[in-house]
Amino acid sequence: MSLSPLVPAAREPLAALFGPHLAALGQRTAAALESCGYEALLVHSGSLLPVFQDDRTYPFEANAPFKVWTPLAEVPDCFVHVQPGHRPRLLFHRPTDYWYKPAPLPQDYWTAHFEIVPCTDLTAARAALPRSLARTAYLGEDFGTLAAWNVGEVNPPRLIRHLDFPRAMKSPYELACLRAANRLGALGHLAAERAFTDGAAEFDIELAFLAACGQREQDLPYNPIIALNENGAVLHYQVLEKRAPQTRRSLLIDAGAEFGGYASDITRTYAAAAGDFAALIQAMDTLQQSLCAHVKAGVDWREVHLLAHQLLAHVLRDADLISCDPDEAIASGVTRVFLPHGIGHLLGLEVHDAGGFMRSPDGGDIARPEGHPYLRLTRTLAPGFVVTMEPGLYFIEPLLAAARADARARLIRWSRVDSLQPCGGIRVEDDLAVSATGCENLTRDAFAAAHNGR
Ligand code: GLY
Ligand code: MN
Ligand code: MN
């Protein structure tokens, strides 16, 4: 991984931040290994997955437990071997191949912290490891010859919990990567907005996003959601229509970029013209900002989620979408018709990062509030957490149909729903870095910098 030319200098040079990141990671890994009874850790970057009865493979995604050690996101069959007290070793897969171009030996800012051993294949990788791996925990897929490696245990759940729990607290190095991922994402979003204003189809809006980020779709942390008009009501809309619709009403774009293995996760909604839908976007943006203002260490994320429903009930009433008062909208579940997903999640190496429900490494999980099955984070926020804040308001036909058919029907103003449904839905999503006193809005800062050409 090299610095993208599209991201001007990160706030602090990554080279200076990587050493302390790796040292802290090494310390917490040593403690986790000791507590779970292992002497060493072996982490696989991942295997290429062949397409059934074909000679192609699916795009490669490096495993998150590997990417936490190195920003090497593109090379399969590498291993990091961690033995507390020793420099970590990177077994770097460098096959002799003339069908595909082998990745060059990395020389980036992070490599000085590793002993790097080039390996032509898995046999060479095994030979580069200690003879006995009986007290080594292995993380990764069970590739064909793994059984013969005689590792102590494959993917031990307790160790995984001990490693995942602290991943919620990002190091200054990780925060720098997440800022840069937001900077790239904001460049993509601005280009996408311009394409929408010019009347582009969903497919062309995606191309504009990719070109501005300088990334291929397979480089992105998730498949972009680029939804015109009523398609915005499909929460993870995946189609990219190649033809622009005859009438252009709205765009919901949920798309992020990747930097150093870290993701941004950003959503914006635009109206083609002034009017009720544009006013509703503005109301949801204000709601999102008031939720962001609640974010700081010590806050129970479940409370933020429930507060979002309270604020949404007021937006729904002010927009004349419901006829009841906000308390009844919440008690009856009507707000969940319009906002069926969670208010946000941990963000990092994975777009829905690991460990969102853990009470402690050994302490079981924290339940979601009843009636909110899609919330992905139930922990209390701590400094260094990075979370998304993503309230939405959608006109989702199957959920509306269910409400029309039961006691909730009398609480909803159907004529208003009918007039706004062709615009699909609204989501506003930013990435927030939590501190003791508040949060840094990585996404709004990135948009401000992109607007100013910085
Ligand atoms: N882009 C997926 C999400 O917002 O969670
Ligand atoms: Mn998200
Ligand atoms: Mn998103």
Side-chain angles (χ1 to χ4, degrees):
M1 201 268 326
S2 55
L3 286 182
S4 166
L6 295 170
V7 179
R11 189 184 287 189
E12 290 171 69
L14 292 176
L17 298 173
F18 188 77
H21 164 72
L22 203 70
L25 178 62
Q27 276 172 14
R28 73 188 199 226
T29 301
L33 288 171
E34 189 179 347
S35 146
C36 299
Y38 302 104
E39 280 178 0
L41 178 70
L42 181 64
V43 193
H44 190 204
S45 67
S47 310
L48 280 174
L49 183 63
V51 176
F52 182 60
Q53 292 192 336
D54 201 334
D55 62 359
R56 293 176 305 134
T57 56
Y58 290 101
F60 176 69
E61 294 281 343
N63 299 327
F66 177 85
K67 287 195 296 174
V68 75
W69 290 93
T70 144
L72 197 59
E74 285 146 27
V75 192
D77 286 326
C78 296
F79 298 85
V80 169
H81 182 235
V82 182
Q83 242 179 325
H86 298 81
R87 206 145 65 117
R89 298 176 88 209
L90 170 64
L91 309 186
F92 184 80
H93 183 52
R94 190 148 167 69
T96 308
D97 193 344
Y98 51 86
W99 291 100
Y100 297 97
K101 183 172 173 175
L105 265 187
Q107 296 189 329
D108 260 335
Y109 61 90
W110 53 272
T111 50
H113 301 274
F114 287 84
E115 182 194 341
I116 300 185
V117 185
C119 299
T120 48
D121 54 22
L122 289 170
T123 307
R126 178 63 189 91
L129 290 165
R131 184 131 30 108
S132 170
L133 297 175
R135 307 230 20 221
T136 295
Y138 168 84
L139 299 185
E141 298 106 325
D142 186 355
F143 56 83
T145 52
L146 180 65
W149 287 34
N150 295 318
V151 294
E153 202 168 343
V154 174
N155 298 323
R158 182 158 175 265
L159 178 67
I160 289 176
R161 279 186 72 95
H162 276 250
L163 295 174
D164 283 353
F165 183 80
R167 254 178 57 191
M169 272 79 73
K170 270 55 184 183
S171 67
Y173 167 76
E174 293 178 297
L175 290 173
C177 290
L178 286 157
R179 279 188 201 103
N182 268 273
R183 294 288 302 276
L184 287 170
L187 293 175
H189 271 264
L190 292 184
E193 182 190 3
R194 281 194 295 275
F196 169 62
T197 306
D198 291 345
E202 291 167 350
F203 181 77
D204 296 307
I205 295 173
E206 165 148 330
L207 293 183
F209 178 87
L210 294 172
C213 294
Q215 301 193 346
R216 294 186 295 178
E217 199 176 62
Q218 70 189 62
D219 302 328
L220 302 181
Y222 58 95
N223 290 336
I225 297 162
I226 296 180
L228 291 171
N229 298 345
E230 51 278 287
N231 295 335
V234 182
L235 294 178
H236 282 170
Y237 178 73
Q238 79 288 17
V239 179
L240 289 172
E241 293 288 355
K242 293 207 167 117
R243 253 198 238 156
Q246 279 192 333
T247 311
R248 196 171 51 93
R249 292 182 286 268
S250 59
L251 168 68
L252 187 158
I253 168 168
D254 181 344
E258 205 224 51
F259 185 93
Y262 290 83
S264 57
D265 182 8
I266 304 171
T267 310
R268 290 292 181 266
T269 310
Y270 304 101
D276 285 356
F277 190 70
L280 207 49
I281 294 174
Q282 189 52 54
M284 289 304 291
D285 193 73
T286 304
L287 178 154
Q288 196 258 12
Q289 289 291 273
S290 18
L291 290 171
C292 292
H294 278 81
V295 170
K296 63 176 180 179
V299 166
D300 181 337
W301 190 250
R302 294 171 300 177
E303 299 297 330
V304 178
H305 177 84
L306 296 175
L307 175 62
H309 280 268
Q310 284 175 12
L311 298 180
L312 181 67
H314 286 272
V315 168
L316 291 170
R317 211 194 40 184
D318 294 348
D320 210 19
L321 281 159
I322 56 174
S323 53
C324 57
D325 66 37
D327 287 344
E328 190 175 2
I330 291 180
S332 61
V334 157
T335 58
R336 285 177 272 148
V337 174
F338 295 97
L339 173 52
H341 61 69
I343 197 60
H345 49 85
L346 293 172
L347 178 73
L349 291 161
E350 296 165 292
V351 70
H352 300 139
D353 218 9
F357 303 108
M358 288 184 204
R359 192 177 298 286
S360 70
D362 280 323
D365 287 344
I366 304 168
R368 301 176 173 103
E370 207 177 319
H372 297 267
Y374 299 114
L375 186 59
R376 295 176 192 267
L377 173 61
T378 54
R379 285 168 71 172
T380 293
L381 302 179
F385 273 39
V386 173
V387 295
T388 66
M389 180 65 80
E390 49 181 305
L393 192 177
Y394 312 88
F395 303 97
I396 300 172
E397 186 48 39
L399 300 184
L400 292 168
R404 242 185 250 267
D406 66 26
R408 293 168 296 176
R410 66 178 177 83
L411 307 176
I412 294 173
R413 287 224 203 275
W414 294 103
S415 59
R416 289 284 292 157
V417 167
D418 292 345
S419 76
L420 287 163
Q421 195 165 8
C423 294
I426 299 166
R427 180 161 64 254
V428 180
E429 178 175 26
D430 291 339
D431 304 339
L432 311 176
V434 177
S435 69
T437 53
C439 65
E440 173 186 342
N441 191 320
L442 307 177
T443 308
R444 303 244 171 189
D445 290 352
F447 272 107
H451 276 300
N452 295 332
R454 280 187 282 122

